[in-house]
DNA sequence: TGTTGACTGATAGTTACTCTCAAGTAGTAA
DNA sequence: TTACTACTTGAGAGTAACTATCAGTCAACA
């Protein structure tokens, strides 16, 4: 069994967020010790992990609660949960594509700046430099 | 020149967000037409793209403003901008790794549910089923 | 016995949007 | 000329998901 602090460190989630998630009903089987401190079992860690996963991919908290509640209903909701996971996976893959796209831009900018520095050039993209050039031309 | 609506469609960003970003000083050279409507030039689109890129990777708005302001200062800030882009790129790559990690979990869950459905099995991970089994055993 | 440290819930604050709304302007139809 | 539609504006309220602060409880240790 783990304290909230241990879980926070183990899964890299702040204690605040864990309490917030707990209050949101994301950890339905969480127990307390005699001091009313939260006690996370390995099973509870499983719930934390799936919530973390869904959040990382951009699922909102209402939808996460819905998924948790479906789990609690039992086996009759397996098909629906399967669909949620599938569409979540699709969202994650779209996120990846988007990130790759942005990385291209960052790569370009990185090389652009690197080249400017190496060759002591001016930033041709900066409108301020273009203004200066126009001034010089006039 | 593009209207805010056109930019919103072109770059898949809401008009609200574009106005919010504009008010935040992210588009320093934005002009207006005779009706005070915002007019985006191709150069302005460049600013929108870099802001979108930085946000996608999780840069907060204060840091974005800082990057924009460095651009406005001119060539003396190229080294600093280069460093910002480099660390942003690192963050993006970390994000990718994290997403890949979460995709593993989603893959696992997907296969798990798929198998349950195909073979008409019970969800062994669901604590409710374990409780039922314990009940049966007693 | 006093202090330190972990934890609690309640509540306030923050970020980055997101939505609503009244008002201005332009173009077209009647 | 008037009505209607479509687009845009700024101001300001609302929202999601944290994030921080704080007073209070409890156990362990000096």
């Amino acid at each position: 069994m783990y304290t909230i602090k241990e879980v926070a460190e183990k899964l890299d989630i702040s204690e605040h967020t864990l309490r917030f998630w707990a209050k949101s009903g994301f950890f339905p089987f969480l127990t307390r010790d005699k001091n009313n401190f939260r006690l996370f079992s390995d099973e509870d860690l499983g719930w934390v992990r799936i919530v973390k996963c869904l959040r990382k991919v951009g699922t909102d908290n209402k939808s996460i609660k819905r998924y948790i509640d479906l789990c609690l209903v039992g086996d009759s909701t397996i098909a629906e949960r399967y669909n949620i996971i599938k569409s979540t996976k699709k969202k994650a893959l779209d996120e990846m594509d988007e990130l790759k796209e942005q990385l291209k831009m960052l790569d370009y900018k990185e090389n652009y700046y690197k080249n400017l520095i190496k060759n002591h050039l001016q930033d041709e993209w900066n409108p301020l430099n273009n203004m200066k050039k126009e001034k010089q031309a006039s």
Side-chain angles (χ1 to χ4, degrees), chain A residues 102-113:
Chain A
Q102 303 307 340
L103 265 170
K104 273 191 219 163
M105 168 140 206
L106 291 169
D107 274 333
Y108 177 84
K109 285 259 170 195
E110 184 185 11
N111 282 320
Y112 176 74
Y113 282 134

Side-chain angles (χ1 to χ4, degrees), chain A residues 2-136:
Chain A
Y2 312 91
T3 66
I4 196 165
K5 190 180 192 178
E6 287 166 342
V7 177
E9 279 169 15
K10 211 175 159 71
L11 302 187
D12 196 30
I13 302 164
S14 83
E15 297 181 34
H16 286 305
T17 300
L18 284 171
R19 287 202 194 91
F20 177 75
W21 286 355
K23 205 165 66 177
S24 305
F26 291 175
F27 314 137
F29 300 99
L30 204 57
T31 55
R32 305 280 184 134
D33 72 4
K34 62 187 189 317
N35 295 321
N36 198 35
F37 292 4
R38 274 170 268 256
L39 270 185
F40 290 77
S41 67
D42 284 310
E43 206 158 71
D44 292 322
L45 287 199
W47 292 94
V48 180
R49 280 203 189 85
I50 181 70
V51 170
K52 180 182 177 179
C53 171
L54 292 172
R55 281 298 298 127
K56 274 281 168 193
V57 172
T59 312
D60 64 36
N61 287 358
K62 199 182 271 183
S63 309
I64 291 177
K65 186 59 168 55
R66 170 150 183 74
Y67 176 78
I68 305 281
D69 287 345
L70 286 174
C71 294
L72 298 184
V73 169
D75 291 333
S76 62
T77 64
I78 285 174
E80 191 170 355
R81 283 185 266 158
Y82 174 60
N83 287 330
I84 289 173
I85 294 296
K86 265 204 309 188
S87 65
T88 304
K89 207 180 120 181
K90 187 181 176 314
K91 257 180 33 181
L93 290 169
D94 290 349
E95 262 310 293
M96 286 274 271
D97 288 345
E98 181 68 45
L99 258 182
K100 272 182 208 155
E101 206 56 43
Q102 303 307 340
L103 265 170
K104 273 191 219 163
M105 168 140 206
L106 291 169
D107 274 333
Y108 177 84
K109 285 259 170 195
E110 184 185 11
N111 282 320
Y112 176 74
Y113 282 134
K114 197 187 288 185
N115 184 51
L116 286 190
I117 291 166
K118 207 179 84 184
N119 299 311
H120 310 287
L121 297 170
Q122 268 204 335
D123 180 7
E124 299 288 339
W125 272 28
N126 190 329
L128 294 174
N129 280 332
N130 296 331
M131 284 176 202
K132 272 185 238 156
K133 264 185 285 176
E134 279 160 35
K135 241 184 181 168
Q136 283 165 6

